[in-house]
Amino acid sequence: MMEILTITAIQLKGSLVFLLGLGGLYTTVRALITGIVTLPEIDTTRASIELEANRLVSQLRGLALASVLLFIAAVWLYFAGPIAGIDADMLKARKAVLTSAQVYSLIALVMIAIILAFIELRATVLRTRLGKLSTAK
């Protein structure tokens, strides 16, 4: 496990992986926020449809807020947390090892990425349901 985390740390400190990693997280967060802004109008006289639409919109807003907070945590971990102190060249040369704080930060960063992927999947399902509700009469 330590070897996998060391390789992950070396890859994370590369500039291209950094751009792809945090850039991908940013793109996911931006898509969630954009999805909130572009939600379809629900024009119905049925209270049950309106209530369900409001529930779905509330869930989408909660997911968007959670994704923003997770993205901020990922940026903090990368720039101000223990990950910032990782020297990829020293790790490659086997002249340094990851500290326990760096290991936990790497695990947290990987978990944030996984959680954001699941948030995006859930938001897609909710937007699909909301789209179906917008056509219901």
Side-chain angles (χ1 to χ4, degrees):
M1 181 64 153
M2 185 58 102
E3 184 67 24
I4 292 171
L5 288 173
T6 301
I7 292 169
T8 303
I10 292 169
Q11 295 299 320
L12 275 175
K13 295 308 283 189
S15 59
L16 181 60
V17 173
F18 160 71
L19 291 175
L20 294 175
L22 283 183
L25 295 179
Y26 169 75
T27 301
T28 301
V29 171
R30 187 189 67 193
L32 286 168
I33 293 171
T34 303
I36 295 294
V37 173
T38 60
L39 289 175
E41 284 287 322
I42 306 295
D43 186 26
T44 184
T45 56
R46 292 179 51 194
S48 62
I49 292 176
E50 187 175 347
L51 183 64
E52 179 67 12
N54 289 338
R55 187 181 68 77
L56 292 174
V57 169
S58 294
Q59 287 181 20
L60 281 169
R61 287 183 179 143
L63 290 174
L65 177 63
S67 69
V68 167
L69 294 175
L70 286 170
F71 178 71
I72 290 169
V75 169
W76 180 84
L77 280 171
Y78 193 87
F79 289 115
I83 294 174
I86 293 175
D87 185 354
D89 294 328
M90 295 296 281
L91 285 175
K92 284 180 193 175
R94 306 270 187 214
K95 294 180 181 176
V97 294
L98 295 173
T99 66
S100 61
Q102 290 169 336
V103 168
Y104 291 130
S105 294
L106 286 169
I107 291 170
L109 196 58
V110 170
M111 293 303 297
I112 286 171
I114 292 169
I115 291 168
L116 277 175
F118 281 115
I119 286 175
E120 176 59 29
L121 288 172
R122 178 68 180 154
T124 300
V125 169
L126 293 176
R127 280 193 300 272
T128 302
R129 287 183 184 169
L130 196 58
K132 288 180 181 180
L133 277 180
S134 69
T135 60
K137 297 293 176 193

